[in-house]
mmCIF file with all atom_site columns, all heavy atoms in Angstrom:
data_model
loop_
_atom_site.group_PDB
_atom_site.id
_atom_site.type_symbol
_atom_site.label_atom_id
_atom_site.label_alt_id
_atom_site.label_comp_id
_atom_site.label_asym_id
_atom_site.label_entity_id
_atom_site.label_seq_id
_atom_site.pdbx_PDB_ins_code
_atom_site.Cartn_x
_atom_site.Cartn_y
_atom_site.Cartn_z
_atom_site.occupancy
_atom_site.B_iso_or_equiv
_atom_site.pdbx_formal_charge
_atom_site.auth_seq_id
_atom_site.auth_comp_id
_atom_site.auth_asym_id
_atom_site.auth_atom_id
_atom_site.pdbx_PDB_model_num
ATOM 1   N N   . MET A 1 4  ? -37.456 2.820  -6.399  1.00 0.00 ? 53 MET A N   1
ATOM 2   C CA  . MET A 1 4  ? -36.754 3.787  -7.254  1.00 0.00 ? 53 MET A CA  1
ATOM 3   C C   . MET A 1 4  ? -35.239 3.532  -7.199  1.00 0.00 ? 53 MET A C   1
ATOM 4   O O   . MET A 1 4  ? -34.546 3.547  -8.212  1.00 0.00 ? 53 MET A O   1
ATOM 5   C CB  . MET A 1 4  ? -37.043 5.220  -6.791  1.00 0.00 ? 53 MET A CB  1
ATOM 6   C CG  . MET A 1 4  ? -38.484 5.649  -6.915  1.00 0.00 ? 53 MET A CG  1
ATOM 7   S SD  . MET A 1 4  ? -38.961 5.978  -8.609  1.00 0.00 ? 53 MET A SD  1
ATOM 8   C CE  . MET A 1 4  ? -40.619 6.638  -8.337  1.00 0.00 ? 53 MET A CE  1
ATOM 9   N N   . TYR A 1 5  ? -34.773 3.290  -5.991  1.00 0.00 ? 54 TYR A N   1
ATOM 10  C CA  . TYR A 1 5  ? -33.326 3.053  -5.781  1.00 0.00 ? 54 TYR A CA  1
ATOM 11  C C   . TYR A 1 5  ? -32.889 1.828  -6.574  1.00 0.00 ? 54 TYR A C   1
ATOM 12  O O   . TYR A 1 5  ? -31.911 1.872  -7.318  1.00 0.00 ? 54 TYR A O   1
ATOM 13  C CB  . TYR A 1 5  ? -33.052 2.875  -4.289  1.00 0.00 ? 54 TYR A CB  1
ATOM 14  C CG  . TYR A 1 5  ? -31.594 2.632  -3.950  1.00 0.00 ? 54 TYR A CG  1
ATOM 15  C CD1 . TYR A 1 5  ? -30.772 3.684  -3.581  1.00 0.00 ? 54 TYR A CD1 1
ATOM 16  C CD2 . TYR A 1 5  ? -31.049 1.358  -4.013  1.00 0.00 ? 54 TYR A CD2 1
ATOM 17  C CE1 . TYR A 1 5  ? -29.431 3.468  -3.267  1.00 0.00 ? 54 TYR A CE1 1
ATOM 18  C CE2 . TYR A 1 5  ? -29.723 1.132  -3.705  1.00 0.00 ? 54 TYR A CE2 1
ATOM 19  C CZ  . TYR A 1 5  ? -28.916 2.189  -3.335  1.00 0.00 ? 54 TYR A CZ  1
ATOM 20  O OH  . TYR A 1 5  ? -27.597 1.974  -3.034  1.00 0.00 ? 54 TYR A OH  1
ATOM 21  N N   . GLY A 1 8  ? -32.485 2.111  -10.179 1.00 0.00 ? 57 GLY A N   1
ATOM 22  C CA  . GLY A 1 8  ? -31.432 3.004  -10.644 1.00 0.00 ? 57 GLY A CA  1
ATOM 23  C C   . GLY A 1 8  ? -31.876 4.436  -10.805 1.00 0.00 ? 57 GLY A C   1
ATOM 24  O O   . GLY A 1 8  ? -31.148 5.259  -11.375 1.00 0.00 ? 57 GLY A O   1
ATOM 25  N N   . ARG A 1 9  ? -33.039 4.773  -10.274 1.00 0.00 ? 58 ARG A N   1
ATOM 26  C CA  . ARG A 1 9  ? -33.552 6.154  -10.370 1.00 0.00 ? 58 ARG A CA  1
ATOM 27  C C   . ARG A 1 9  ? -33.214 6.869  -9.057  1.00 0.00 ? 58 ARG A C   1
ATOM 28  O O   . ARG A 1 9  ? -34.070 7.164  -8.226  1.00 0.00 ? 58 ARG A O   1
ATOM 29  C CB  . ARG A 1 9  ? -35.054 6.122  -10.637 1.00 0.00 ? 58 ARG A CB  1
ATOM 30  C CG  . ARG A 1 9  ? -35.369 5.503  -11.984 1.00 0.00 ? 58 ARG A CG  1
ATOM 31  C CD  . ARG A 1 9  ? -36.803 4.998  -12.104 1.00 0.00 ? 58 ARG A CD  1
ATOM 32  N NE  . ARG A 1 9  ? -37.788 6.062  -12.010 1.00 0.00 ? 58 ARG A NE  1
ATOM 33  C CZ  . ARG A 1 9  ? -39.106 5.850  -12.051 1.00 0.00 ? 58 ARG A CZ  1
ATOM 34  N NH1 . ARG A 1 9  ? -39.578 4.623  -12.199 1.00 0.00 ? 58 ARG A NH1 1
ATOM 35  N NH2 . ARG A 1 9  ? -39.951 6.863  -11.940 1.00 0.00 ? 58 ARG A NH2 1
ATOM 36  N N   . PHE A 1 10 ? -31.900 7.145  -8.906  1.00 0.00 ? 59 PHE A N   1
ATOM 37  C CA  . PHE A 1 10 ? -31.380 7.580  -7.604  1.00 0.00 ? 59 PHE A CA  1
ATOM 38  C C   . PHE A 1 10 ? -31.817 8.992  -7.219  1.00 0.00 ? 59 PHE A C   1
ATOM 39  O O   . PHE A 1 10 ? -32.083 9.268  -6.054  1.00 0.00 ? 59 PHE A O   1
ATOM 40  C CB  . PHE A 1 10 ? -29.855 7.466  -7.595  1.00 0.00 ? 59 PHE A CB  1
ATOM 41  C CG  . PHE A 1 10 ? -29.372 6.063  -7.887  1.00 0.00 ? 59 PHE A CG  1
ATOM 42  C CD1 . PHE A 1 10 ? -28.736 5.772  -9.081  1.00 0.00 ? 59 PHE A CD1 1
ATOM 43  C CD2 . PHE A 1 10 ? -29.580 5.039  -6.969  1.00 0.00 ? 59 PHE A CD2 1
ATOM 44  C CE1 . PHE A 1 10 ? -28.309 4.486  -9.359  1.00 0.00 ? 59 PHE A CE1 1
ATOM 45  C CE2 . PHE A 1 10 ? -29.157 3.754  -7.249  1.00 0.00 ? 59 PHE A CE2 1
ATOM 46  C CZ  . PHE A 1 10 ? -28.520 3.468  -8.448  1.00 0.00 ? 59 PHE A CZ  1
ATOM 47  N N   . GLU A 1 11 ? -31.875 9.902  -8.196  1.00 0.00 ? 60 GLU A N   1
ATOM 48  C CA  . GLU A 1 11 ? -32.312 11.271 -7.888  1.00 0.00 ? 60 GLU A CA  1
ATOM 49  C C   . GLU A 1 11 ? -33.747 11.278 -7.350  1.00 0.00 ? 60 GLU A C   1
ATOM 50  O O   . GLU A 1 11 ? -34.052 11.979 -6.383  1.00 0.00 ? 60 GLU A O   1
ATOM 51  C CB  . GLU A 1 11 ? -32.216 12.165 -9.128  1.00 0.00 ? 60 GLU A CB  1
ATOM 52  C CG  . GLU A 1 11 ? -30.800 12.436 -9.607  1.00 0.00 ? 60 GLU A CG  1
ATOM 53  C CD  . GLU A 1 11 ? -30.334 11.432 -10.649 1.00 0.00 ? 60 GLU A CD  1
ATOM 54  O OE1 . GLU A 1 11 ? -30.963 10.352 -10.763 1.00 0.00 ? 60 GLU A OE1 1
ATOM 55  O OE2 . GLU A 1 11 ? -29.333 11.715 -11.329 1.00 0.00 ? 60 GLU A OE2 1
ATOM 56  N N   . GLU A 1 12 ? -34.610 10.477 -7.982  1.00 0.00 ? 61 GLU A N   1
ATOM 57  C CA  . GLU A 1 12 ? -35.997 10.397 -7.524  1.00 0.00 ? 61 GLU A CA  1
ATOM 58  C C   . GLU A 1 12 ? -36.077 9.754  -6.142  1.00 0.00 ? 61 GLU A C   1
ATOM 59  O O   . GLU A 1 12 ? -36.877 10.184 -5.292  1.00 0.00 ? 61 GLU A O   1
ATOM 60  C CB  . GLU A 1 12 ? -36.824 9.598  -8.529  1.00 0.00 ? 61 GLU A CB  1
ATOM 61  C CG  . GLU A 1 12 ? -36.982 10.280 -9.875  1.00 0.00 ? 61 GLU A CG  1
ATOM 62  C CD  . GLU A 1 12 ? -37.694 9.397  -10.875 1.00 0.00 ? 61 GLU A CD  1
ATOM 63  O OE1 . GLU A 1 12 ? -38.879 9.078  -10.651 1.00 0.00 ? 61 GLU A OE1 1
ATOM 64  O OE2 . GLU A 1 12 ? -37.069 9.014  -11.882 1.00 0.00 ? 61 GLU A OE2 1
ATOM 65  N N   . ALA A 1 13 ? -35.248 8.733  -5.929  1.00 0.00 ? 62 ALA A N   1
ATOM 66  C CA  . ALA A 1 13 ? -35.231 8.053  -4.630  1.00 0.00 ? 62 ALA A CA  1
ATOM 67  C C   . ALA A 1 13 ? -34.831 9.026  -3.524  1.00 0.00 ? 62 ALA A C   1
ATOM 68  O O   . ALA A 1 13 ? -35.437 9.043  -2.441  1.00 0.00 ? 62 ALA A O   1
ATOM 69  C CB  . ALA A 1 13 ? -34.282 6.867  -4.667  1.00 0.00 ? 62 ALA A CB  1
ATOM 70  N N   . ILE A 1 14 ? -33.834 9.871  -3.814  1.00 0.00 ? 63 ILE A N   1
ATOM 71  C CA  . ILE A 1 14 ? -33.365 10.842 -2.815  1.00 0.00 ? 63 ILE A CA  1
ATOM 72  C C   . ILE A 1 14 ? -34.494 11.804 -2.432  1.00 0.00 ? 63 ILE A C   1
ATOM 73  O O   . ILE A 1 14 ? -34.676 12.120 -1.252  1.00 0.00 ? 63 ILE A O   1
ATOM 74  C CB  . ILE A 1 14 ? -32.133 11.612 -3.350  1.00 0.00 ? 63 ILE A CB  1
ATOM 75  C CG1 . ILE A 1 14 ? -30.917 10.681 -3.402  1.00 0.00 ? 63 ILE A CG1 1
ATOM 76  C CG2 . ILE A 1 14 ? -31.833 12.833 -2.469  1.00 0.00 ? 63 ILE A CG2 1
ATOM 77  C CD1 . ILE A 1 14 ? -29.749 11.229 -4.183  1.00 0.00 ? 63 ILE A CD1 1
ATOM 78  N N   . LYS A 1 15 ? -35.258 12.254 -3.415  1.00 0.00 ? 64 LYS A N   1
ATOM 79  C CA  . LYS A 1 15 ? -36.375 13.170 -3.135  1.00 0.00 ? 64 LYS A CA  1
ATOM 80  C C   . LYS A 1 15 ? -37.410 12.515 -2.221  1.00 0.00 ? 64 LYS A C   1
ATOM 81  O O   . LYS A 1 15 ? -37.949 13.150 -1.307  1.00 0.00 ? 64 LYS A O   1
ATOM 82  C CB  . LYS A 1 15 ? -37.018 13.614 -4.448  1.00 0.00 ? 64 LYS A CB  1
ATOM 83  C CG  . LYS A 1 15 ? -36.140 14.538 -5.278  1.00 0.00 ? 64 LYS A CG  1
ATOM 84  C CD  . LYS A 1 15 ? -36.810 14.869 -6.601  1.00 0.00 ? 64 LYS A CD  1
ATOM 85  C CE  . LYS A 1 15 ? -35.893 15.742 -7.462  1.00 0.00 ? 64 LYS A CE  1
ATOM 86  N NZ  . LYS A 1 15 ? -36.504 16.031 -8.790  1.00 0.00 ? 64 LYS A NZ  1
ATOM 87  N N   . ALA A 1 37 ? -27.613 6.329  -2.042  1.00 0.00 ? 86 ALA A N   1
ATOM 88  C CA  . ALA A 1 37 ? -27.988 6.891  -3.347  1.00 0.00 ? 86 ALA A CA  1
ATOM 89  C C   . ALA A 1 37 ? -27.042 8.024  -3.746  1.00 0.00 ? 86 ALA A C   1
ATOM 90  O O   . ALA A 1 37 ? -26.611 8.127  -4.897  1.00 0.00 ? 86 ALA A O   1
ATOM 91  C CB  . ALA A 1 37 ? -29.426 7.386  -3.300  1.00 0.00 ? 86 ALA A CB  1
ATOM 92  N N   . VAL A 1 40 ? -23.775 6.474  -4.894  1.00 0.00 ? 89 VAL A N   1
ATOM 93  C CA  . VAL A 1 40 ? -23.860 5.933  -6.257  1.00 0.00 ? 89 VAL A CA  1
ATOM 94  C C   . VAL A 1 40 ? -23.705 7.058  -7.281  1.00 0.00 ? 89 VAL A C   1
ATOM 95  O O   . VAL A 1 40 ? -23.085 6.881  -8.335  1.00 0.00 ? 89 VAL A O   1
ATOM 96  C CB  . VAL A 1 40 ? -25.194 5.183  -6.462  1.00 0.00 ? 89 VAL A CB  1
ATOM 97  C CG1 . VAL A 1 40 ? -25.353 4.796  -7.935  1.00 0.00 ? 89 VAL A CG1 1
ATOM 98  C CG2 . VAL A 1 40 ? -25.249 3.942  -5.598  1.00 0.00 ? 89 VAL A CG2 1
ATOM 99  N N   . LEU A 1 41 ? -24.230 8.227  -6.942  1.00 0.00 ? 90 LEU A N   1
ATOM 100 C CA  . LEU A 1 41 ? -24.107 9.399  -7.818  1.00 0.00 ? 90 LEU A CA  1
ATOM 101 C C   . LEU A 1 41 ? -22.765 10.109 -7.647  1.00 0.00 ? 90 LEU A C   1
ATOM 102 O O   . LEU A 1 41 ? -22.545 11.185 -8.211  1.00 0.00 ? 90 LEU A O   1
ATOM 103 C CB  . LEU A 1 41 ? -25.250 10.386 -7.527  1.00 0.00 ? 90 LEU A CB  1
ATOM 104 C CG  . LEU A 1 41 ? -26.661 9.867  -7.845  1.00 0.00 ? 90 LEU A CG  1
ATOM 105 C CD1 . LEU A 1 41 ? -27.717 10.831 -7.313  1.00 0.00 ? 90 LEU A CD1 1
ATOM 106 C CD2 . LEU A 1 41 ? -26.836 9.663  -9.348  1.00 0.00 ? 90 LEU A CD2 1
#
Side-chain angles (χ1 to χ4, degrees):
M53 296 286 187
Y54 180 95
R58 295 160 64 182
F59 302 110
E60 293 92 343
E61 293 175 64
I63 289 167
K64 290 177 183 177
V89 172
L90 296 171

